[in-house]
């Protein structure tokens, strides 16, 4: 179809040019170019660019015509309105033609296709020889000039073609140029047919033998398509049957799924009911614990009274042993009664959990209520003998593991389970007695009153502590305030009032105005311990709001405390809170103005990711990671690359997406910068002027690419479609690359490096100006790391060919699958500007990043020698090195390990008999001076320059003078300066005006950086030269 369209267009072009419809032809050229059909516009472009047809002076005269006045603009507006009316009319005509064409198409479709195909095939076969004979007998004859009726028919046909092809502007121009005919009216002649130009084209083609053969091929293809259509219909029927069966299965599965959903809802409802029951039982258990605490305090008081009795037991001899026994039994009965009352709630909770074993909390709660201390001492045994009566009161309670008040208070702060242990220890006393407690005990009213007093005393103590702490804290030295943390935490944990707890939590976070690292750690440890003790709900309701309040605090140390709390407290809240509230806090901290806060946010986000319940917030986290990678602070970037990047990769498992986004960020950072020049088509228009922000972004993103390289290698190894033994120590040997080149299997993770990464990096460096050595150095380090990670075989057979093609050289693509040959060859520069750009931007990477690998040093030396020595000799005449090639060698010399290799080749150029090669050597020495030290300058550069300065050729001598100036500009060593002065005197003694100008120019550049001796030397020479009589034009070059 494209060939037919092109042929018709060429026919129209020939007709317009032959009939001198130049305006129509020019309008057609513009529309073809706008449609991107450059291949069909070649002849028109050549015609209108012919200076013989359109002289430049005539075009200049047309361009200098005066701009039309308002009256002419008004006339043009009216003319355009008329053209618009014409266009509307043509639109109606086009719609009518479309309707007519649809009708004709339907009629042709209704014809018996089989009869038509058979008759056409027989006709083509029988008359094939006749076509050949006509082709041989026919000769090209001149048809002569067009007749009027032929011209009218062709005009109408061309007008119809332009309308159908969509070239409206060209059609309107054609209307204006054809003045002797009404193109809207086509006389009823044999040439008047729909889509006339196409019919003419088919009629012409049908008169050739090639057309006959093509028609036979089309008939055969039509037959094969009919057979394929039949097979597709059969397959369609089978698919429809399968579809019906699948729909039945889907309906059955849908019903089953609905039943499962219903069952799941019932189970969720049951779980909710069980949770409500659990909360109720927990409340009852807490009440029982409060009573137990009161009982414990009562027991402690009783113990102190018993101690007094034991001390006075020798005095009170008249007291009988039976009375002691009765009191101890009464205490035992009271403890038994309290145990029975306190264990009602745990037993009911245990029964609930025994009915539904689907949650972890049930097992944990039941286990906690079943823990019993296994070493109780029977109080009955204590009173078995009279000899033990005196020690009874002092040791009975000690044997039941009741702790001292100081121990109780300390352990209550340390762990909330101590109350349970104390309860169980006290409960273990009556468990050793087989006798049930009496139903009516005279001590019960007394114990109830004691318990109530103990409850009031405990709550009162917590209340006093909560009221006193806010007043005490301001008067404690800052360095000692962390000693108040146990009291603050105890009050927060046990106080019943929520507002008081909030106030104390606020005091905890604001304990120190600007806490240092050690103090922050102490506070955070206290918060973590508090979160463990109070549970998820109170952590969410009391601790996290304090984090949110501190997020905009004026001191960065307090905001840093918030950042650290996000990672450490996330473990003690519900999963749905982690990726909502806590992630929002981290996101706001990432926008903080303080570097340390952003760094802490990055580190704690890495700790937070493994706790997320799902990957719903992955893309948000990925955006935050790239935002932190491009942070202006190097500390934040380093933390993100070392901590957050591996965490995101391991958590999200979307490594391929990270690589795609990374490359797009790298390219977009450079592409959004303005071009170096606005001249379209020039090399400078391809280069970008990077701002500080864009330069930093590209640099850190390239660092990120280096950090991802081990993951890329590991991903390629894990997805290797061949035997795992093929990969040795992470490298890719030649045998594996040969299997890969077979192209029988896909290996996208391996291909990413040379089909996506390398081309994008080449595109990036082709936008970097010459001064961006730092970024080019980053890319070089990445390429060296790739060669080290992937091995020498990959470097030789995959990496090196890609960059050689990109720089314009020929390369062996044997180890590439044939499917990607076109993509690799597409990297080759196609224009002179592209070749120049590749030499300036890509050649430095080939020298330093690809051939700069330790295993390629010999090949690098050969390539440099070919580039600098052999490449400058073409057909027995020398060629000067381009500035781009000189710049590539200069970049190579920024790496000190290549200096010896470069100087060996430069010395070959210095001692060469070729003048241009000597000049090239002087130019190279000049640009590499900034990257060498004084020792190298004395031993290598100055001897080479002295040799060049002694040359008889003036051009070589003048080139060495500029290099001497570069040496004087960068070194202040007295020995080097003396050598330069001696050589400059030698140049001045020649008496040549050009040499004098070159010396003064080179030294003037060096004056701001040179020593006082060299500066005085230059000034003295300038005074001497200014005192000499000269003509008015002697120093015009200065």
């Amino acid at each position: 179809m494209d060939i037919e369209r092109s042929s018709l267009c060429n026919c129209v072009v020939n007709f317009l040019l032959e009939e001198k419809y130049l305006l129509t032809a020019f309008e057609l050229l513009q529309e073809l170019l706008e449609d991107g059909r450059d291949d069909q516009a070649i002849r028109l472009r050549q015609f209108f660019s012919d200076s013989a047809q359109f002289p430049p002076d005539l075009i200049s005269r047309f361009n200098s015509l005066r701009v039309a006045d308002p009256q002419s603009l008004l006339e043009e507006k009216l003319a355009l309105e008329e053209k618009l009316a014409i266009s509307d009319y043509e639109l109606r005509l086009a719609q009518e033609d479309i309707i007519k064409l649809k009708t004709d198409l339907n009629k042709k479709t209704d014809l018996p296709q089989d009869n038509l195909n058979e008759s056409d095939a027989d006709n083509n076969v029988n008359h094939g020889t006749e076509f050949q004979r006509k082709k041989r007998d026919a000769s090209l004859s001149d048809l002569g000039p067009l007749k009027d009726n032929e011209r009218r028919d062709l005009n109408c046909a061309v007008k119809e073609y332009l309308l159908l092809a969509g070239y409206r502007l060209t059609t309107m121009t054609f209307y204006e140029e054809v003045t002797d005919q009404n193109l809207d009216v086509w006389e009823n002649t044999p040439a008047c047919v729909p889509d006339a130009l196409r019919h003419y084209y088919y009629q012409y083609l049908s008169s050739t033998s090639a057309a006959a053969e093509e028609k036979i091929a089309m008939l055969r293809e039509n037959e094969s398509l009919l057979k394929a259509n039949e097979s597709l219909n059969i397959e369609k029927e089978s698919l429809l049957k399968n579809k019906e069966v699948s729909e039945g299965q889907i309906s059955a599965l849908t019903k089953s799924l609905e039943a499962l959903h219903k069952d799941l809802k019932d189970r969720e409802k049951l779980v909710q009911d069980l949770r409500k029951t659990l909360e109720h039982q927990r409340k009852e258990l807490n009440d029982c614990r409060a009573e137990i605490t009161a009982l414990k305090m009562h027991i402690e008081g009783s113990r102190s009274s018993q101690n007094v009795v034991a001390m006075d037991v020798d005095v009170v001899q008249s007291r009988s042993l039976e009375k002691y026994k009765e009191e101890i039994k009464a205490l035992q009965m009271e403890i038994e009664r309290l145990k029975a009352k306190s264990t009602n709630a745990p037993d009911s909770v245990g029964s609930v959990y025994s009915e539904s074993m689907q949650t972890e909390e049930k097992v944990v709660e039941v286990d906690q209520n079943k823990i019993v201390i296994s070493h109780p001492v029977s109080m009955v045994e204590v009173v078995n003998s009279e000899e033990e009566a005196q020690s009874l009161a002092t040791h009975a309670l000690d044997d039941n593991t009741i702790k001292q008040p100081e121990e109780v208070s300390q352990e209550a702060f340390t762990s909330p389970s101590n109350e349970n242990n104390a309860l169980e220890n006290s409960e273990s006393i009556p468990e050793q007695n087989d006798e049930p407690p009496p139903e009516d005990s005279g001590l019960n009213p007394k114990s109830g009153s004691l318990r109530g007093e103990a409850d009031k005393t405990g709550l009162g103590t917590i209340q006093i502590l909560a009221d006193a702490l806010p007043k005490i804290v301001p008067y404690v030295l800052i360095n000692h305030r962390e000693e108040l943390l146990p009291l603050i935490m105890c009050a927060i944990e046990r106080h019943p009032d929520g507002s008081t707890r909030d106030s104390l939590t606020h005091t905890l976070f604001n304990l120190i105005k600007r806490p240092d690292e050690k103090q922050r750690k102490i506070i955070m440890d206290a918060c973590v311990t508090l979160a463990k003790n109070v549970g998820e709900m109170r952590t969410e309701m009391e601790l996290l709001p304090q984090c949110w309040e501190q997020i905009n605090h004026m001191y960065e140390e307090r905001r840093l405390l918030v950042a650290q709390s996000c990672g450490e407290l996330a473990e003690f809240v519900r999963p749905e809170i982690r990726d909502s509230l806590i992630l929002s806090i981290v996101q706001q901290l990432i926008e903080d103005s303080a570097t340390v806060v952003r760094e802490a946010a990055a580190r704690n986000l890495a700790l937070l990711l493994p706790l997320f319940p799902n990957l719903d917030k992955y893309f948000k986290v990925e955006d935050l990671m790239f935002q932190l990678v491009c942070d202006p602070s190097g500390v934040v970037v380093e933390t993100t690359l070392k901590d957050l990047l591996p965490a995101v990769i391991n958590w999200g498992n979307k490594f391929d997406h990270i690589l795609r986004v990374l490359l797009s960020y790298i390219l977009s950072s450079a592409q959004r910068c303005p071009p170096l020049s606005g001249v379209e088509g020039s090399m400078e228009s391809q280069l970008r002027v990077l701002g500080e922000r864009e330069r930093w972004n590209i640099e850190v993103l390239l660092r990120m690419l280096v950090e991802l390289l081990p993951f890329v290698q590991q991903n390629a190894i894990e997805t290797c479609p061949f035997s795992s033994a093929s990969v040795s120590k992470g490298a890719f040997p030649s045998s594996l690359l040969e299997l890969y080149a077979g192209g029988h299997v896909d290996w996208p993770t391996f291909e990413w490096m040379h089909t996506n990464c390398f081309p994008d990096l080449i595109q990036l460096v082709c936008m970097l100006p010459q001064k961006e050595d730092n970024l080019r150095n980053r890319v070089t380090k990445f390429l060296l790391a790739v060669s080290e990670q992937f091995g020498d075989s990959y470097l030789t057979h995959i990496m090196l060919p890609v960059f050689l093609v990109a720089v314009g050289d020929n390369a062996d693509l044997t180890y590439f699958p044939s499917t990607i040959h076109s993509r690799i060859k597409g990297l080759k520069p196609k224009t002179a500007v592209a070749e120049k750009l590749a030499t300036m931007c890509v050649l430095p990477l080939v020298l330093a990043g690809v051939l700069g690998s330790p295993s390629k040093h010999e090949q690098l030396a050969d390539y440099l020698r070919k580039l600098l020595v052999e490449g400058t000799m073409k057909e027995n005449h020398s060629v000067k090195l381009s500035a781009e090639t000189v710049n590539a060698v200069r970049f190579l010399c920024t790496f000190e390990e290549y200096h010896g290799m470069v100087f060996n080749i430069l010395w070959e150029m210095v001692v060469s008999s070729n003048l241009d090669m000597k000049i090239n050597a002087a130019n190279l020495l000049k640009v590499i001076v900034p990257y060498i030290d004084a020792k190298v300058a004395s031993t290598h550069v100055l001897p080479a320059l002295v040799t060049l300065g002694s040359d008889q050729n003036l051009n070589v001598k003048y080139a060495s003078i500029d290099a001497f100036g570069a040496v004087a500009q960068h070194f202040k060593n007295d020995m080097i300066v003396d050598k330069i002065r001696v050589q400059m005197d030698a140049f001045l003694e020649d008496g040549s005006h050009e040499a004098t100008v070159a010396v003064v120019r080179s030294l003037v550049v060096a004056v701001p950086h040179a020593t006082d001796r060299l500066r005085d030397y230059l000034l003295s020479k300038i005074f001497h030269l200014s005192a000499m009589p000269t003509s008015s034009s002697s120093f015009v070059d200065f």
Side-chain angles (χ1 to χ4, degrees), residues 521-635:
K521 186 178 186 306
I522 294 174
I523 295 175
M524 280 314 307
D525 291 343
C527 291
V528 169
T529 303
L530 185 60
K532 289 179 181 178
N533 294 344
V534 301
E536 292 181 351
M537 295 303 297
R538 285 184 60 183
T539 301
E540 297 171 7
M541 300 299 294
E542 298 176 11
L543 289 179
L544 288 186
Q546 295 297 330
C547 291
W548 192 263
E549 288 180 6
Q550 301 283 328
I551 198 170
N552 292 318
H553 200 278
M554 63 181 295
Y555 295 127
E556 63 182 36
E557 290 85 357
R558 299 275 278 278
R559 303 197 300 273
L560 187 58
L561 186 64
V562 176
Q564 292 174 346
S565 67
C566 290
E568 299 189 24
L569 294 181
E571 184 180 353
F572 307 103
V573 299
R574 290 176 295 166
E576 55 267 24
I577 298 296
R578 297 168 188 164
D579 61 355
S580 57
L581 177 61
I582 297 183
L583 182 59
S584 299
I585 296 175
V586 174
Q587 183 178 3
Q588 186 165 346
L589 292 172
I590 289 174
E591 305 288 343
D592 198 275
S593 59
T595 300
V596 291
V597 177
R598 299 197 301 273
E599 180 193 3
R603 184 180 295 106
N604 284 274
L605 179 57
L607 299 176
L608 188 62
L609 292 182
L611 303 176
F612 282 1
N614 49 52
L615 297 177
D616 293 345
K617 298 299 178 67
Y618 171 78
F619 293 104
K620 182 178 181 180
V621 172
E622 186 183 89
D623 291 340
L624 294 178
M625 178 188 68
F626 277 104
Q627 181 180 347
L628 287 168
V629 168
C630 296
D631 192 271
S633 172
V635 178

Side-chain angles (χ1 to χ4, degrees), residues 443-477:
L443 294 177
N444 286 342
K446 183 178 180 180
S447 64
S449 62
L450 291 174
R451 183 171 61 253
E453 292 177 0
D455 291 341
K456 292 180 181 179
T457 303
L459 292 176
T461 302
I462 296 297
Q463 184 65 47
I464 292 172
L465 183 63
D467 293 340
L469 279 173
K471 302 175 183 177
I472 295 173
V473 168
Y475 297 99
V476 178
L477 294 176

Side-chain angles (χ1 to χ4, degrees), residues 159-180:
K159 183 267 298 185
E160 183 185 31
Y161 165 78
L162 294 175
L163 285 175
L164 293 177
Y167 301 132
R168 299 295 182 183
L169 295 177
T170 307
T171 307
M172 296 170 64
T173 307
F174 189 58
Y175 263 94
E176 295 177 357
E177 283 199 291
V178 180
T179 58
D180 57 348

Side-chain angles (χ1 to χ4, degrees), residues 97-107:
D97 292 343
I98 290 172
I99 295 172
K100 185 185 295 183
L101 288 172
K102 288 182 179 179
T103 305
D104 294 342
L105 181 62
N106 293 332
K107 290 180 180 179

Side-chain angles (χ1 to χ4, degrees), residues 751-764:
E751 288 183 349
W752 174 85
M753 182 62 70
H754 49 270
T755 59
N756 296 97
C757 183
F758 289 163
D760 286 350
L761 289 179
I762 291 171
Q763 184 180 354
L764 170 68

Side-chain angles (χ1 to χ4, degrees), residues 488-547:
I488 297 175
M489 291 176 60
C490 184
I492 295 174
E493 183 179 347
R494 297 174 181 273
H495 201 284
D497 183 54
S499 60
T500 304
R501 291 199 303 270
D502 289 340
S503 176
L504 292 172
T505 307
H506 181 75
T507 303
L508 173 63
F509 272 89
N510 294 270
L511 190 62
I512 301 173
K513 182 182 293 186
R514 306 186 70 168
D516 56 23
E517 184 176 358
K518 181 180 179 181
Q519 292 167 337
R520 287 196 300 270
K521 186 178 186 306
I522 294 174
I523 295 175
M524 280 314 307
D525 291 343
C527 291
V528 169
T529 303
L530 185 60
K532 289 179 181 178
N533 294 344
V534 301
E536 292 181 351
M537 295 303 297
R538 285 184 60 183
T539 301
E540 297 171 7
M541 300 299 294
E542 298 176 11
L543 289 179
L544 288 186
Q546 295 297 330
C547 291

